[in-house]
Amino acid sequence: MAYRWNMSDFEPFYDVNRTYEDNYAQGPFGAFAEALKSDIAGEGEPGKTGESFLGQPVRLAFGIPAGPLLNSRYTTAAFRMGFDLATYKTVRSRAWGCNPFPNVLAVHPASADGSLTPGSAELDEGVLADTNYEQPISISNSFGVPSKEPDVWQPDMRAAIAAAGPGQVLVPSFQGSRVDGMSEEDYIADHATTARLVKETGAKLMVMNTSCPNEGHNRLLCHNPLLVGRITEAVKNEIGDTPLMIKLAFIPSDDDLELMVRSTVRRGTVQGFSTINTISARLVDKDGNQALPGAGRDRSGVCGSAIRGAGLEMVRRLAALRDRLGLDFAINGVGGVVSAADYAAYKAAGADSVMSATGAMWDAELAHKIKASL
Ligand SMILES: Cc1cc2nc3c(=O)[nH]c(=O)nc-3n(C[C@H](O)[C@H](O)[C@H](O)COP(=O)(O)O)c2cc1C
């Protein structure tokens, strides 16, 4: 079966028709590849100035979250394309393999506006997924959070940090790794070790991912706020005053969300939340069969336009909690940002900064368009 996207007029910087390994070795593609060939530094885009991200001054607090920027070539190209926040794809304490190809499919929710609602029956009954990529873009991604070993990613992350232009910040992302035979203490310690390895690269801040299925099949660390609290305490002991942001999935219960904030921000271990990650759905082909080949891949994470409503809702609820509890933490809004209007909607919902993964993959000019709209 050929997995080809059928939009002939442009090439996403991450090519969904190639393996992860080929993208890592040969990418980025399209406009990002062109930007890399030029020798301009991080771009001096006009636009709103004087913003900040976890204490670092940035030109516009907009960029790309963990995922599609695989290494320093991708992050450097993102800076040159005017994305002032470029997140280096989530790294681990050890080498970690990628799920089998294909890793990306186009997703077509049944609702008239193409949105997916957390908790809706459609997520369990099946959402159509194929290779028919359409705008506004919604996709599923199934990578398994692959990572190179630290000896490879540490020097590359250092280079990525050095390539940021004025008013731009490289945002490292990391997560812990759960392996067979690990005790809970080992698992907590693995997070702290990985945070130390990130700090050694000269990182000024970091984002810890708690929102991928790293607790076993479809179980997310962020659904256990007390464990996240213990982990962030261990991480804080390792990284000291370096600001730490936590990446959250959609959390349906207000009580759980409040417990997350109380177990982290209240204890001084966390300075912000980035939300949301993908929404898990059962993916089916046009005949109702499992869309992604292989065991354990009946469900996969959906991102892009379909999840914007859910992302905005999480940001609004976090902003309301921040007000009610009188706490000071940053909110990074993610999920379905494909246009300048979506960026504005996240800001209006209470986000201090905004990022786009899928939208940026399908529109390399997104940062320029947002800056032009301000
Ligand atoms: C290709 C791809 C890979 C991703 N990998 C990661 C990852 O390694 N770590 C992470 O925290 N989120 C990862 N994500 C999730 C994104 O950071 C983001 O939370 C999600 O895609 C929703 O944003 P969007 O609608 O703009 O795509 C990935 C997303 C995509 C599209």
Side-chain angles (χ1 to χ4, degrees), residues 66 90 145 173-175 187 191 207-215 218-223 228 246-251 260 274-280 301:
T90 306
V145 198
S173 164
F174 74 98
Q175 73 174 58
Y187 181 54
H191 285 81
V207 178
M208 186 174 95
N209 182 20
T210 68
S211 51
C212 287
N214 47 2
E215 292 290 279
N218 287 324
R219 284 184 57 215
L220 310 181
L221 175 55
C222 65
H223 292 156
V228 173
I246 302 290
K247 176 82 173 281
L248 297 177
F250 185 87
I251 295 179
M260 175 66 74
S274 179
T275 191
I276 58 175
N277 209 308
T278 58
I279 292 182
S280 170

PDB file of all heavy atoms in Angstrom, residues 66 90 145 173-175 187 191 207-215 218-223 228 246-251 260 274-280 301:
ATOM      1  N   ALA A  66       6.694  19.942  20.809  1.00  0.00           N
ATOM      2  CA  ALA A  66       7.477  18.712  20.656  1.00  0.00           C
ATOM      3  C   ALA A  66       6.872  17.809  19.596  1.00  0.00           C
ATOM      4  O   ALA A  66       5.661  17.569  19.597  1.00  0.00           O
ATOM      5  CB  ALA A  66       7.534  17.975  21.983  1.00  0.00           C
ATOM      6  N   THR A  90      10.921  15.356  21.900  1.00  0.00           N
ATOM      7  CA  THR A  90      11.108  14.722  23.207  1.00  0.00           C
ATOM      8  C   THR A  90      12.266  13.706  23.212  1.00  0.00           C
ATOM      9  O   THR A  90      12.278  12.772  22.408  1.00  0.00           O
ATOM     10  CB  THR A  90       9.806  14.007  23.615  1.00  0.00           C
ATOM     11  OG1 THR A  90       8.729  14.952  23.543  1.00  0.00           O
ATOM     12  CG2 THR A  90       9.905  13.451  25.024  1.00  0.00           C
ATOM     13  N   VAL A 145       7.317   7.925  20.628  1.00  0.00           N
ATOM     14  CA  VAL A 145       8.352   8.805  21.191  1.00  0.00           C
ATOM     15  C   VAL A 145       9.752   8.190  21.067  1.00  0.00           C
ATOM     16  O   VAL A 145      10.405   7.859  22.069  1.00  0.00           O
ATOM     17  CB  VAL A 145       8.058   9.206  22.653  1.00  0.00           C
ATOM     18  CG1 VAL A 145       8.887  10.435  23.030  1.00  0.00           C
ATOM     19  CG2 VAL A 145       6.584   9.496  22.871  1.00  0.00           C
ATOM     20  N   SER A 173      12.388  19.231  25.071  1.00  0.00           N
ATOM     21  CA  SER A 173      11.334  18.405  25.654  1.00  0.00           C
ATOM     22  C   SER A 173      11.941  17.056  26.033  1.00  0.00           C
ATOM     23  O   SER A 173      12.763  16.519  25.300  1.00  0.00           O
ATOM     24  CB  SER A 173      10.222  18.219  24.619  1.00  0.00           C
ATOM     25  OG  SER A 173       9.375  17.148  24.981  1.00  0.00           O
ATOM     26  N   PHE A 174      11.526  16.539  27.185  1.00  0.00           N
ATOM     27  CA  PHE A 174      12.043  15.228  27.606  1.00  0.00           C
ATOM     28  C   PHE A 174      10.941  14.454  28.296  1.00  0.00           C
ATOM     29  O   PHE A 174       9.910  15.007  28.675  1.00  0.00           O
ATOM     30  CB  PHE A 174      13.252  15.374  28.545  1.00  0.00           C
ATOM     31  CG  PHE A 174      12.887  15.821  29.942  1.00  0.00           C
ATOM     32  CD1 PHE A 174      12.755  14.890  30.973  1.00  0.00           C
ATOM     33  CD2 PHE A 174      12.648  17.159  30.238  1.00  0.00           C
ATOM     34  CE1 PHE A 174      12.406  15.290  32.265  1.00  0.00           C
ATOM     35  CE2 PHE A 174      12.300  17.572  31.514  1.00  0.00           C
ATOM     36  CZ  PHE A 174      12.182  16.640  32.534  1.00  0.00           C
ATOM     37  N   GLN A 175      11.158  13.152  28.459  1.00  0.00           N
ATOM     38  CA  GLN A 175      10.242  12.357  29.269  1.00  0.00           C
ATOM     39  C   GLN A 175      10.985  11.192  29.890  1.00  0.00           C
ATOM     40  O   GLN A 175      12.093  10.852  29.480  1.00  0.00           O
ATOM     41  CB  GLN A 175       9.045  11.873  28.445  1.00  0.00           C
ATOM     42  CG  GLN A 175       9.337  10.775  27.451  1.00  0.00           C
ATOM     43  CD  GLN A 175       8.053  10.276  26.790  1.00  0.00           C
ATOM     44  OE1 GLN A 175       7.306  11.030  26.177  1.00  0.00           O
ATOM     45  NE2 GLN A 175       7.787   8.984  26.925  1.00  0.00           N
ATOM     46  N   TYR A 187      11.739   4.682  38.051  1.00  0.00           N
ATOM     47  CA  TYR A 187      11.034   5.463  37.029  1.00  0.00           C
ATOM     48  C   TYR A 187      11.128   6.958  37.348  1.00  0.00           C
ATOM     49  O   TYR A 187      11.398   7.784  36.469  1.00  0.00           O
ATOM     50  CB  TYR A 187       9.573   4.993  36.989  1.00  0.00           C
ATOM     51  CG  TYR A 187       8.694   5.669  35.971  1.00  0.00           C
ATOM     52  CD1 TYR A 187       9.037   5.712  34.623  1.00  0.00           C
ATOM     53  CD2 TYR A 187       7.484   6.248  36.360  1.00  0.00           C
ATOM     54  CE1 TYR A 187       8.209   6.330  33.691  1.00  0.00           C
ATOM     55  CE2 TYR A 187       6.651   6.860  35.433  1.00  0.00           C
ATOM     56  CZ  TYR A 187       7.017   6.896  34.100  1.00  0.00           C
ATOM     57  OH  TYR A 187       6.189   7.503  33.189  1.00  0.00           O
ATOM     58  N   HIS A 191      13.416  10.162  35.171  1.00  0.00           N
ATOM     59  CA  HIS A 191      13.029  11.531  34.790  1.00  0.00           C
ATOM     60  C   HIS A 191      14.100  12.530  35.229  1.00  0.00           C
ATOM     61  O   HIS A 191      14.490  13.422  34.463  1.00  0.00           O
ATOM     62  CB  HIS A 191      11.695  11.923  35.444  1.00  0.00           C
ATOM     63  CG  HIS A 191      10.491  11.292  34.828  1.00  0.00           C
ATOM     64  ND1 HIS A 191      10.095  10.014  35.121  1.00  0.00           N
ATOM     65  CD2 HIS A 191       9.597  11.761  33.933  1.00  0.00           C
ATOM     66  CE1 HIS A 191       8.993   9.725  34.436  1.00  0.00           C
ATOM     67  NE2 HIS A 191       8.676  10.770  33.704  1.00  0.00           N
ATOM     68  N   VAL A 207      10.609  21.339  28.968  1.00  0.00           N
ATOM     69  CA  VAL A 207       9.230  20.855  29.056  1.00  0.00           C
ATOM     70  C   VAL A 207       9.279  19.346  29.294  1.00  0.00           C
ATOM     71  O   VAL A 207       9.958  18.616  28.564  1.00  0.00           O
ATOM     72  CB  VAL A 207       8.434  21.139  27.763  1.00  0.00           C
ATOM     73  CG1 VAL A 207       7.010  20.583  27.864  1.00  0.00           C
ATOM     74  CG2 VAL A 207       8.395  22.630  27.467  1.00  0.00           C
ATOM     75  N   MET A 208       8.567  18.889  30.321  1.00  0.00           N
ATOM     76  CA  MET A 208       8.511  17.446  30.597  1.00  0.00           C
ATOM     77  C   MET A 208       7.186  16.896  30.076  1.00  0.00           C
ATOM     78  O   MET A 208       6.111  17.356  30.464  1.00  0.00           O
ATOM     79  CB  MET A 208       8.625  17.202  32.103  1.00  0.00           C
ATOM     80  CG  MET A 208       8.713  15.731  32.446  1.00  0.00           C
ATOM     81  SD  MET A 208       9.006  15.500  34.206  1.00  0.00           S
ATOM     82  CE  MET A 208       7.345  15.256  34.785  1.00  0.00           C
ATOM     83  N   ASN A 209       7.281  15.896  29.217  1.00  0.00           N
ATOM     84  CA  ASN A 209       6.084  15.312  28.616  1.00  0.00           C
ATOM     85  C   ASN A 209       5.480  14.270  29.544  1.00  0.00           C
ATOM     86  O   ASN A 209       6.129  13.284  29.888  1.00  0.00           O
ATOM     87  CB  ASN A 209       6.449  14.683  27.266  1.00  0.00           C
ATOM     88  CG  ASN A 209       5.247  14.112  26.563  1.00  0.00           C
ATOM     89  OD1 ASN A 209       4.117  14.483  26.855  1.00  0.00           O
ATOM     90  ND2 ASN A 209       5.491  13.205  25.633  1.00  0.00           N
ATOM     91  N   THR A 210       4.236  14.482  29.945  1.00  0.00           N
ATOM     92  CA  THR A 210       3.529  13.491  30.770  1.00  0.00           C
ATOM     93  C   THR A 210       2.289  12.991  30.022  1.00  0.00           C
ATOM     94  O   THR A 210       1.382  12.431  30.621  1.00  0.00           O
ATOM     95  CB  THR A 210       3.077  14.099  32.116  1.00  0.00           C
ATOM     96  OG1 THR A 210       2.053  15.073  31.871  1.00  0.00           O
ATOM     97  CG2 THR A 210       4.223  14.743  32.861  1.00  0.00           C
ATOM     98  N   SER A 211       2.248  13.227  28.715  1.00  0.00           N
ATOM     99  CA  SER A 211       0.989  13.057  27.989  1.00  0.00           C
ATOM    100  C   SER A 211       1.052  12.089  26.824  1.00  0.00           C
ATOM    101  O   SER A 211       0.154  12.073  25.989  1.00  0.00           O
ATOM    102  CB  SER A 211       0.515  14.426  27.504  1.00  0.00           C
ATOM    103  OG  SER A 211       1.545  15.101  26.827  1.00  0.00           O
ATOM    104  N   CYS A 212       2.085  11.261  26.750  1.00  0.00           N
ATOM    105  CA  CYS A 212       2.109  10.177  25.770  1.00  0.00           C
ATOM    106  C   CYS A 212       1.937   8.871  26.535  1.00  0.00           C
ATOM    107  O   CYS A 212       2.211   8.821  27.740  1.00  0.00           O
ATOM    108  CB  CYS A 212       3.412  10.169  24.984  1.00  0.00           C
ATOM    109  SG  CYS A 212       3.483  11.526  23.791  1.00  0.00           S
ATOM    110  N   PRO A 213       1.484   7.814  25.869  1.00  0.00           N
ATOM    111  CA  PRO A 213       1.203   6.564  26.601  1.00  0.00           C
ATOM    112  C   PRO A 213       2.481   5.908  27.136  1.00  0.00           C
ATOM    113  O   PRO A 213       2.948   4.912  26.626  1.00  0.00           O
ATOM    114  CB  PRO A 213       0.528   5.678  25.549  1.00  0.00           C
ATOM    115  CG  PRO A 213       0.162   6.577  24.432  1.00  0.00           C
ATOM    116  CD  PRO A 213       1.117   7.709  24.461  1.00  0.00           C
ATOM    117  N   ASN A 214       3.055   6.516  28.176  1.00  0.00           N
ATOM    118  CA  ASN A 214       4.327   5.996  28.707  1.00  0.00           C
ATOM    119  C   ASN A 214       4.134   5.164  29.968  1.00  0.00           C
ATOM    120  O   ASN A 214       5.078   4.712  30.580  1.00  0.00           O
ATOM    121  CB  ASN A 214       5.317   7.131  28.981  1.00  0.00           C
ATOM    122  CG  ASN A 214       4.687   8.286  29.735  1.00  0.00           C
ATOM    123  OD1 ASN A 214       3.519   8.226  30.083  1.00  0.00           O
ATOM    124  ND2 ASN A 214       5.439   9.317  29.992  1.00  0.00           N
ATOM    125  N   GLU A 215       2.873   4.983  30.327  1.00  0.00           N
ATOM    126  CA  GLU A 215       2.574   4.203  31.539  1.00  0.00           C
ATOM    127  C   GLU A 215       1.977   2.850  31.178  1.00  0.00           C
ATOM    128  O   GLU A 215       1.324   2.232  31.985  1.00  0.00           O
ATOM    129  CB  GLU A 215       1.565   4.973  32.410  1.00  0.00           C
ATOM    130  CG  GLU A 215       2.109   6.228  33.020  1.00  0.00           C
ATOM    131  CD  GLU A 215       3.125   5.896  34.086  1.00  0.00           C
ATOM    132  OE1 GLU A 215       2.717   5.586  35.209  1.00  0.00           O
ATOM    133  OE2 GLU A 215       4.324   5.904  33.784  1.00  0.00           O
ATOM    134  N   ASN A 218      -1.975   3.021  26.361  1.00  0.00           N
ATOM    135  CA  ASN A 218      -2.965   4.086  26.479  1.00  0.00           C
ATOM    136  C   ASN A 218      -3.133   4.666  27.887  1.00  0.00           C
ATOM    137  O   ASN A 218      -4.132   5.300  28.183  1.00  0.00           O
ATOM    138  CB  ASN A 218      -4.329   3.624  25.946  1.00  0.00           C
ATOM    139  CG  ASN A 218      -4.299   3.550  24.425  1.00  0.00           C
ATOM    140  OD1 ASN A 218      -3.668   4.374  23.779  1.00  0.00           O
ATOM    141  ND2 ASN A 218      -4.960   2.549  23.882  1.00  0.00           N
ATOM    142  N   ARG A 219      -2.162   4.419  28.761  1.00  0.00           N
ATOM    143  CA  ARG A 219      -2.234   5.075  30.076  1.00  0.00           C
ATOM    144  C   ARG A 219      -1.240   6.228  30.098  1.00  0.00           C
ATOM    145  O   ARG A 219      -0.100   6.098  29.689  1.00  0.00           O
ATOM    146  CB  ARG A 219      -1.918   4.073  31.194  1.00  0.00           C
ATOM    147  CG  ARG A 219      -3.081   3.132  31.456  1.00  0.00           C
ATOM    148  CD  ARG A 219      -2.776   2.223  32.624  1.00  0.00           C
ATOM    149  NE  ARG A 219      -2.467   2.952  33.839  1.00  0.00           N
ATOM    150  CZ  ARG A 219      -1.571   2.527  34.733  1.00  0.00           C
ATOM    151  NH1 ARG A 219      -0.900   1.419  34.531  1.00  0.00           N
ATOM    152  NH2 ARG A 219      -1.358   3.213  35.833  1.00  0.00           N
ATOM    153  N   LEU A 220      -1.702   7.360  30.602  1.00  0.00           N
ATOM    154  CA  LEU A 220      -0.881   8.561  30.564  1.00  0.00           C
ATOM    155  C   LEU A 220      -0.419   8.924  31.971  1.00  0.00           C
ATOM    156  O   LEU A 220      -1.201   8.862  32.926  1.00  0.00           O
ATOM    157  CB  LEU A 220      -1.682   9.733  29.995  1.00  0.00           C
ATOM    158  CG  LEU A 220      -2.424   9.515  28.671  1.00  0.00           C
ATOM    159  CD1 LEU A 220      -3.130  10.797  28.263  1.00  0.00           C
ATOM    160  CD2 LEU A 220      -1.446   9.073  27.592  1.00  0.00           C
ATOM    161  N   LEU A 221       0.820   9.370  32.071  1.00  0.00           N
ATOM    162  CA  LEU A 221       1.355   9.803  33.355  1.00  0.00           C
ATOM    163  C   LEU A 221       0.539  10.956  33.944  1.00  0.00           C
ATOM    164  O   LEU A 221       0.314  11.024  35.151  1.00  0.00           O
ATOM    165  CB  LEU A 221       2.824  10.215  33.167  1.00  0.00           C
ATOM    166  CG  LEU A 221       3.557  10.803  34.363  1.00  0.00           C
ATOM    167  CD1 LEU A 221       3.495   9.876  35.568  1.00  0.00           C
ATOM    168  CD2 LEU A 221       5.005  11.101  33.988  1.00  0.00           C
ATOM    169  N   CYS A 222       0.042  11.860  33.087  1.00  0.00           N
ATOM    170  CA  CYS A 222      -0.677  13.036  33.619  1.00  0.00           C
ATOM    171  C   CYS A 222      -2.021  12.668  34.236  1.00  0.00           C
ATOM    172  O   CYS A 222      -2.661  13.508  34.871  1.00  0.00           O
ATOM    173  CB  CYS A 222      -0.832  14.124  32.560  1.00  0.00           C
ATOM    174  SG  CYS A 222      -1.848  13.674  31.157  1.00  0.00           S
ATOM    175  N   HIS A 223      -2.458  11.419  34.072  1.00  0.00           N
ATOM    176  CA  HIS A 223      -3.679  10.995  34.759  1.00  0.00           C
ATOM    177  C   HIS A 223      -3.394  10.562  36.199  1.00  0.00           C
ATOM    178  O   HIS A 223      -4.294  10.117  36.908  1.00  0.00           O
ATOM    179  CB  HIS A 223      -4.377   9.887  33.965  1.00  0.00           C
ATOM    180  CG  HIS A 223      -4.922  10.395  32.657  1.00  0.00           C
ATOM    181  ND1 HIS A 223      -5.154   9.597  31.572  1.00  0.00           N
ATOM    182  CD2 HIS A 223      -5.263  11.651  32.279  1.00  0.00           C
ATOM    183  CE1 HIS A 223      -5.620  10.343  30.571  1.00  0.00           C
ATOM    184  NE2 HIS A 223      -5.691  11.584  30.980  1.00  0.00           N
ATOM    185  N   VAL A 228       3.031  12.621  39.252  1.00  0.00           N
ATOM    186  CA  VAL A 228       3.668  13.759  38.574  1.00  0.00           C
ATOM    187  C   VAL A 228       4.287  14.690  39.627  1.00  0.00           C
ATOM    188  O   VAL A 228       5.398  15.204  39.452  1.00  0.00           O
ATOM    189  CB  VAL A 228       2.660  14.527  37.696  1.00  0.00           C
ATOM    190  CG1 VAL A 228       3.270  15.806  37.138  1.00  0.00           C
ATOM    191  CG2 VAL A 228       2.162  13.643  36.546  1.00  0.00           C
ATOM    192  N   ILE A 246       5.144  21.487  32.218  1.00  0.00           N
ATOM    193  CA  ILE A 246       4.637  20.121  32.078  1.00  0.00           C
ATOM    194  C   ILE A 246       3.689  20.062  30.888  1.00  0.00           C
ATOM    195  O   ILE A 246       2.774  20.877  30.780  1.00  0.00           O
ATOM    196  CB  ILE A 246       3.843  19.705  33.347  1.00  0.00           C
ATOM    197  CG1 ILE A 246       4.714  19.815  34.587  1.00  0.00           C
ATOM    198  CG2 ILE A 246       3.318  18.278  33.217  1.00  0.00           C
ATOM    199  CD1 ILE A 246       5.796  18.813  34.662  1.00  0.00           C
ATOM    200  N   LYS A 247       3.894  19.085  30.032  1.00  0.00           N
ATOM    201  CA  LYS A 247       2.989  18.890  28.883  1.00  0.00           C
ATOM    202  C   LYS A 247       1.866  17.949  29.305  1.00  0.00           C
ATOM    203  O   LYS A 247       2.107  16.815  29.728  1.00  0.00           O
ATOM    204  CB  LYS A 247       3.782  18.270  27.726  1.00  0.00           C
ATOM    205  CG  LYS A 247       2.967  17.910  26.495  1.00  0.00           C
ATOM    206  CD  LYS A 247       2.732  19.112  25.615  1.00  0.00           C
ATOM    207  CE  LYS A 247       2.065  18.726  24.300  1.00  0.00           C
ATOM    208  NZ  LYS A 247       3.025  18.172  23.337  1.00  0.00           N
ATOM    209  N   LEU A 248       0.628  18.455  29.179  1.00  0.00           N
ATOM    210  CA  LEU A 248      -0.551  17.704  29.618  1.00  0.00           C
ATOM    211  C   LEU A 248      -1.423  17.302  28.437  1.00  0.00           C
ATOM    212  O   LEU A 248      -1.573  18.061  27.479  1.00  0.00           O
ATOM    213  CB  LEU A 248      -1.420  18.565  30.537  1.00  0.00           C
ATOM    214  CG  LEU A 248      -0.842  19.048  31.860  1.00  0.00           C
ATOM    215  CD1 LEU A 248      -1.861  19.942  32.567  1.00  0.00           C
ATOM    216  CD2 LEU A 248      -0.457  17.865  32.744  1.00  0.00           C
ATOM    217  N   ALA A 249      -2.046  16.157  28.572  1.00  0.00           N
ATOM    218  CA  ALA A 249      -3.122  15.772  27.664  1.00  0.00           C
ATOM    219  C   ALA A 249      -4.413  16.437  28.154  1.00  0.00           C
ATOM    220  O   ALA A 249      -4.430  17.110  29.190  1.00  0.00           O
ATOM    221  CB  ALA A 249      -3.288  14.252  27.671  1.00  0.00           C
ATOM    222  N   PHE A 250      -5.507  16.242  27.432  1.00  0.00           N
ATOM    223  CA  PHE A 250      -6.812  16.723  27.895  1.00  0.00           C
ATOM    224  C   PHE A 250      -7.161  15.975  29.182  1.00  0.00           C
ATOM    225  O   PHE A 250      -7.143  14.745  29.215  1.00  0.00           O
ATOM    226  CB  PHE A 250      -7.878  16.474  26.826  1.00  0.00           C
ATOM    227  CG  PHE A 250      -9.207  17.049  27.190  1.00  0.00           C
ATOM    228  CD1 PHE A 250      -9.501  18.368  26.888  1.00  0.00           C
ATOM    229  CD2 PHE A 250     -10.157  16.286  27.851  1.00  0.00           C
ATOM    230  CE1 PHE A 250     -10.731  18.925  27.243  1.00  0.00           C
ATOM    231  CE2 PHE A 250     -11.388  16.835  28.205  1.00  0.00           C
ATOM    232  CZ  PHE A 250     -11.669  18.153  27.897  1.00  0.00           C
ATOM    233  N   ILE A 251      -7.471  16.727  30.234  1.00  0.00           N
ATOM    234  CA  ILE A 251      -7.860  16.115  31.517  1.00  0.00           C
ATOM    235  C   ILE A 251      -9.324  16.478  31.752  1.00  0.00           C
ATOM    236  O   ILE A 251      -9.647  17.656  31.947  1.00  0.00           O
ATOM    237  CB  ILE A 251      -6.957  16.619  32.666  1.00  0.00           C
ATOM    238  CG1 ILE A 251      -5.518  16.139  32.417  1.00  0.00           C
ATOM    239  CG2 ILE A 251      -7.475  16.163  34.026  1.00  0.00           C
ATOM    240  CD1 ILE A 251      -4.508  16.586  33.445  1.00  0.00           C
ATOM    241  N   MET A 260      -3.555  18.371  39.933  1.00  0.00           N
ATOM    242  CA  MET A 260      -2.303  18.493  39.184  1.00  0.00           C
ATOM    243  C   MET A 260      -1.605  19.812  39.525  1.00  0.00           C
ATOM    244  O   MET A 260      -0.397  19.847  39.800  1.00  0.00           O
ATOM    245  CB  MET A 260      -2.603  18.407  37.673  1.00  0.00           C
ATOM    246  CG  MET A 260      -1.420  18.641  36.780  1.00  0.00           C
ATOM    247  SD  MET A 260      -0.146  17.374  36.921  1.00  0.00           S
ATOM    248  CE  MET A 260      -0.928  16.013  36.052  1.00  0.00           C
ATOM    249  N   SER A 274       1.834  23.087  29.305  1.00  0.00           N
ATOM    250  CA  SER A 274       1.648  23.130  27.862  1.00  0.00           C
ATOM    251  C   SER A 274       0.556  22.123  27.549  1.00  0.00           C
ATOM    252  O   SER A 274       0.641  20.956  27.934  1.00  0.00           O
ATOM    253  CB  SER A 274       2.957  22.725  27.179  1.00  0.00           C
ATOM    254  OG  SER A 274       2.806  22.723  25.782  1.00  0.00           O
ATOM    255  N   THR A 275      -0.490  22.553  26.857  1.00  0.00           N
ATOM    256  CA  THR A 275      -1.610  21.647  26.660  1.00  0.00           C
ATOM    257  C   THR A 275      -2.445  22.071  25.461  1.00  0.00           C
ATOM    258  O   THR A 275      -2.593  23.264  25.220  1.00  0.00           O
ATOM    259  CB  THR A 275      -2.455  21.596  27.958  1.00  0.00           C
ATOM    260  OG1 THR A 275      -3.380  20.540  27.883  1.00  0.00           O
ATOM    261  CG2 THR A 275      -3.191  22.905  28.230  1.00  0.00           C
ATOM    262  N   ILE A 276      -2.886  21.095  24.606  1.00  0.00           N
ATOM    263  CA  ILE A 276      -3.002  19.673  24.902  1.00  0.00           C
ATOM    264  C   ILE A 276      -2.093  18.854  23.977  1.00  0.00           C
ATOM    265  O   ILE A 276      -1.588  19.367  22.977  1.00  0.00           O
ATOM    266  CB  ILE A 276      -4.476  19.178  24.721  1.00  0.00           C
ATOM    267  CG1 ILE A 276      -4.967  19.432  23.302  1.00  0.00           C
ATOM    268  CG2 ILE A 276      -5.369  19.758  25.745  1.00  0.00           C
ATOM    269  CD1 ILE A 276      -6.372  18.865  23.003  1.00  0.00           C
ATOM    270  N   ASN A 277      -1.946  17.582  24.322  1.00  0.00           N
ATOM    271  CA  ASN A 277      -1.349  16.617  23.404  1.00  0.00           C
ATOM    272  C   ASN A 277      -2.492  16.015  22.570  1.00  0.00           C
ATOM    273  O   ASN A 277      -3.613  16.516  22.591  1.00  0.00           O
ATOM    274  CB  ASN A 277      -0.583  15.547  24.191  1.00  0.00           C
ATOM    275  CG  ASN A 277       0.586  14.989  23.386  1.00  0.00           C
ATOM    276  OD1 ASN A 277       0.414  14.566  22.244  1.00  0.00           O
ATOM    277  ND2 ASN A 277       1.765  14.988  23.973  1.00  0.00           N
ATOM    278  N   THR A 278      -2.211  14.949  21.861  1.00  0.00           N
ATOM    279  CA  THR A 278      -3.220  14.370  20.969  1.00  0.00           C
ATOM    280  C   THR A 278      -4.376  13.756  21.759  1.00  0.00           C
ATOM    281  O   THR A 278      -4.259  13.477  22.951  1.00  0.00           O
ATOM    282  CB  THR A 278      -2.587  13.277  20.104  1.00  0.00           C
ATOM    283  OG1 THR A 278      -2.032  12.286  20.965  1.00  0.00           O
ATOM    284  CG2 THR A 278      -1.495  13.831  19.207  1.00  0.00           C
ATOM    285  N   ILE A 279      -5.507  13.537  21.056  1.00  0.00           N
ATOM    286  CA  ILE A 279      -6.666  12.854  21.653  1.00  0.00           C
ATOM    287  C   ILE A 279      -6.725  11.446  21.074  1.00  0.00           C
ATOM    288  O   ILE A 279      -6.722  11.265  19.846  1.00  0.00           O
ATOM    289  CB  ILE A 279      -7.959  13.631  21.369  1.00  0.00           C
ATOM    290  CG1 ILE A 279      -7.904  14.955  22.144  1.00  0.00           C
ATOM    291  CG2 ILE A 279      -9.190  12.817  21.748  1.00  0.00           C
ATOM    292  CD1 ILE A 279      -9.132  15.813  21.989  1.00  0.00           C
ATOM    293  N   SER A 280      -6.772  10.453  21.951  1.00  0.00           N
ATOM    294  CA  SER A 280      -6.736   9.057  21.510  1.00  0.00           C
ATOM    295  C   SER A 280      -8.059   8.648  20.854  1.00  0.00           C
ATOM    296  O   SER A 280      -9.139   8.913  21.400  1.00  0.00           O
ATOM    297  CB  SER A 280      -6.454   8.170  22.733  1.00  0.00           C
ATOM    298  OG  SER A 280      -6.630   6.820  22.390  1.00  0.00           O
ATOM    299  N   GLY A 301      -3.158   8.701  18.448  1.00  0.00           N
ATOM    300  CA  GLY A 301      -3.439  10.069  18.858  1.00  0.00           C
ATOM    301  C   GLY A 301      -3.808  10.947  17.680  1.00  0.00           C
ATOM    302  O   GLY A 301      -3.113  10.957  16.663  1.00  0.00           O
TER     303      GLY A 301
END
